[in-house]
Amino acid sequence: PMAPNGCPVSAQAAAFDPFDSPYQLDPAEALRWSREQEPVFYSPRLGYWVVSRYADIKTIFRDNLTFSPSIALEKITPASRKAQAVLERYDYGMNRTLVNEDEPAHMARRRELLEAFTPEALEAHAPMVRRLVREKLDAIVERGRADLVAEMFWEVPLTVALHFLGVPEEDMEQLRRFSVAHTLNTWGRPSPEQQVEVAEGVGKFWQYSGQVLKKMQEQPHGHGWMYDMIEKNRQKPDVVTDNYLHSMMMAIIVAAHETTALATANAFRQLLSRPAVWAELCANPELIPAAAEECLRHSGSVVAWRRIATREVEVGGVTIPEGGKILMVTASANHDPAHFENPDELDIYRDNAVDHLTFGYGSHQCMGKNLGRMEMRIFLEEFTRRLPHLELEEQEFTFLPNTSFRGPEALWVRWDPAQNPERRDP
Ligand code: HEM
């Protein structure tokens, strides 16, 4: 086969499929061959140019005029006619938010919405995060065994996200199902039957977001980032537009919780599978922020992000034509030995872990990164203190099949409640 630039496609590039199990289980490892031999390649199965090295991905992130983020939330698997009809029935109109908005609209909007992310504003949420984590821990601490994903890793970040946004905490289970549908719809490859079901979920999520937004617009004095947006929409409707409000309402509920939930599950999996590292954190909790950062590098919850070339451009020696769609595998960049020494090792003392690309880079870099980090830190602080004898159970991990959001669907751990420090020393 030939790539759209007229060059032949190598056998490995032709065989690459992100929905196959190697990428689903370990995207960085699945692209080792590419990092080593062919760092930019066209994937005929995906219809994307795949980029796997750190330096190339950073170059792309840096130039969001040549490499537009407009396709960041596009369906990676086009909707079937039936799914399309379902979405139309729900009047589905997800469009630009921040993450997929071009300049100059993006920066003008982002600048208006920064206040909620000052260190002081974020610190004000810390007691709530700690209270939520403690309540969830209280519920299981005497039990001896738990699936931490089911017990708290998704629900706490979702509650924090809704609180941060000012969105009423209603029907969390339904919101979680909506979020899964949104992930499959945007980054998955649902089968034709699944497509219709997923479209139903996405359509309902869109309607729900519109209703919540309307309710919030009717009570203008609430607190939270969505209220900031509603206020800016009143003051500067050309900068913070109506369609933006509705699209953002849906996208941010997912962006603000699923990313953090999966990152926390990945971090606990990585740390608990290295008992010596876990013991070190229990003995020296001041190492927790660095350990969380290293987990974000080693096993991030966002593993790939997209751009589209607005003109013909060369990346890593390969010519990508205008309109070429690009999948930057950030998980691969985070394991690039040209930037990280012994990249496959989880090293909580690594001095450049923070260079990872799990939060993206440049003008679109994740606005919520410090909220996500704070949640991970508080989870780790509470667990290392109250359950230092926590152990990972032998288990097979499963992942929601998609290109970009990664974390185990369950994380089984066990401990002996008789050894709980608070029992021995109440
Ligand atoms: C953007 C990852 C948590 C809000 C992004 C991007 C990534 C990302 C990869 C795209 C960056 C780019 O294009 O350069 C993550 C991860 C998280 C996390 C891994 C948790 C561990 C959060 C939270 C919030 C949030 C908690 C909200 C409170 C946003 C927003 C953007 C964004 C608003 C768009 C920024 C822009 O385009 O200007 N995030 N995120 N994220 N994230 Fe996060």
Side-chain angles (χ1 to χ4, degrees):
M2 295 275 249
N5 63 358
C7 294
V9 173
S10 72
Q12 271 160 313
F16 175 74
D17 189 333
F19 296 98
D20 283 349
S21 62
Y23 181 97
Q24 289 302 313
L25 293 176
D26 188 345
E29 189 54 35
L31 281 159
R32 179 185 296 278
W33 68 272
S34 163
R35 282 195 300 284
E36 288 172 358
Q37 299 160 34
E38 199 185 350
V40 180
F41 67 90
Y42 181 74
S43 161
R45 293 210 183 166
L46 199 58
Y48 274 69
W49 297 85
V50 179
V51 183
S52 62
R53 278 190 190 160
Y54 186 90
D56 292 333
I57 292 180
K58 210 161 185 179
T59 303
I60 294 170
F61 269 129
R62 258 197 200 109
D63 180 356
N64 60 341
L65 300 180
T66 306
F67 304 100
S68 159
S70 60
I71 62 162
L73 301 180
E74 185 176 284
K75 281 169 68 60
I76 203 160
T77 303
S80 65
R81 191 135 11 118
K82 267 193 189 158
Q84 198 55 47
V86 171
L87 291 173
E88 275 163 28
R89 185 153 50 72
Y90 285 103
D91 207 16
Y92 178 67
M94 161 72 91
N95 199 336
R96 301 295 182 106
T97 59
L98 279 167
V99 82
N100 60 352
E101 183 62 279
D102 283 309
E103 303 306 343
H106 162 259
M107 259 309 164
R109 195 175 291 157
R110 180 168 166 132
R111 228 176 271 126
E112 293 293 338
L113 299 172
L114 280 172
E115 242 164 77
F117 297 94
T118 60
E120 305 77 56
L122 290 179
E123 210 36 56
H125 296 290
M128 172 210 29
V129 177
R130 198 172 297 277
R131 177 174 55 73
L132 289 170
V133 174
R134 284 191 177 163
E135 281 170 10
K136 290 292 181 191
L137 247 169
D138 287 342
I140 63 160
V141 75
E142 292 298 328
R143 213 186 280 171
R145 182 173 187 254
D147 166 8
L148 296 182
V149 174
E151 295 293 341
M152 63 184 89
F153 284 171
W154 69 268
E155 198 180 327
V156 171
L158 179 54
T159 310
V160 173
L162 296 179
H163 192 92
F164 173 80
L165 297 170
V167 173
E169 288 160 37
E170 283 164 20
D171 215 346
M172 309 280 277
E173 286 284 348
Q174 171 164 289
L175 273 181
R176 190 190 184 199
R177 282 196 303 276
F178 283 168
S179 298
V180 169
H182 173 65
T183 300
L184 285 175
N185 184 55
T186 312
W187 296 281
R189 189 186 282 167
S191 66
E193 305 80 64
Q194 251 183 331
Q195 278 231 12
V196 172
E197 198 189 311
V198 163
E200 283 285 342
V202 169
K204 290 199 181 100
F205 194 5
W206 177 253
Q207 293 279 317
Y208 174 88
S209 309
Q211 286 156 12
V212 173
L213 179 61
K214 197 153 163 272
K215 246 197 257 170
M216 291 174 75
Q217 283 173 313
E218 284 158 7
Q219 335 168 341
H221 299 299
H223 286 287
W225 198 37
M226 276 311 300
Y227 281 107
D228 297 357
M229 295 186 202
I230 290 168
E231 186 53 33
K232 295 285 179 183
N233 169 255
R234 279 203 192 92
Q235 295 166 1
K236 302 183 179 178
D238 50 329
V239 177
V240 178
T241 61
D242 290 342
N243 181 276
Y244 163 79
L245 273 190
H246 192 169
S247 295
M248 190 61 169
M249 184 71 185
M250 177 168 150
I252 194 63
I253 288 176
V254 182
H257 99 268
E258 210 169 30
T259 49
T260 310
L262 298 172
T264 306
N266 287 334
F268 273 75
R269 175 187 172 189
Q270 294 304 329
L271 294 168
L272 289 172
S273 63
R274 294 166 177 82
V277 179
W278 178 259
E280 208 173 343
L281 290 189
C282 294
N284 306 292
E286 68 281 3
L287 296 173
I288 285 173
E293 205 65 40
E294 171 65 351
C295 289
L296 284 164
R297 179 198 71 83
H298 184 279
S299 241
S301 51
V302 176
V303 297
W305 211 244
R306 289 179 284 170
R307 293 288 188 260
I308 184 167
T310 57
R311 59 173 173 86
E312 185 181 287
V313 59
E314 206 190 285
V315 178
V318 172
T319 303
I320 296 180
E322 178 180 343
K325 295 181 177 186
I326 300 171
L327 185 76
M328 302 175 280
V329 184
T330 45
S332 169
N334 290 345
H335 284 253
D336 185 343
H339 196 86
F340 300 102
E341 209 176 311
N342 296 327
D344 302 329
E345 200 175 300
L346 188 91
D347 174 5
I348 62 173
Y349 294 101
R350 187 182 292 282
D351 58 14
N352 68 347
V354 70
D355 290 354
H356 69 73
L357 299 177
T358 301
F359 291 123
Y361 182 76
S363 52
H364 284 271
Q365 198 187 39
C366 180
M367 289 172 86
K369 62 184 181 178
N370 290 328
L371 184 56
R373 283 170 170 145
M374 179 215 286
E375 293 183 55
M376 292 174 75
R377 169 173 66 75
I378 291 175
F379 267 118
L380 286 167
E381 284 171 0
E382 293 297 316
F383 270 88
T384 49
R385 189 168 58 78
R386 294 183 66 183
L387 293 177
H389 49 314
L390 198 64
E391 284 174 18
L392 196 60
E393 281 194 356
E394 191 83 29
Q395 63 201 294
E396 250 181 57
F397 295 104
T398 60
F399 302 88
L400 187 72
N402 78 96
T403 57
S404 297
F405 285 69
R406 181 173 182 277
E409 289 177 304
L411 191 82
W412 284 97
V413 292
R414 63 164 176 249
W415 65 96
D416 177 2
Q419 301 298 318
N420 290 0
E422 58 208 56
R423 248 211 223 178
R424 283 185 286 133
D425 182 19

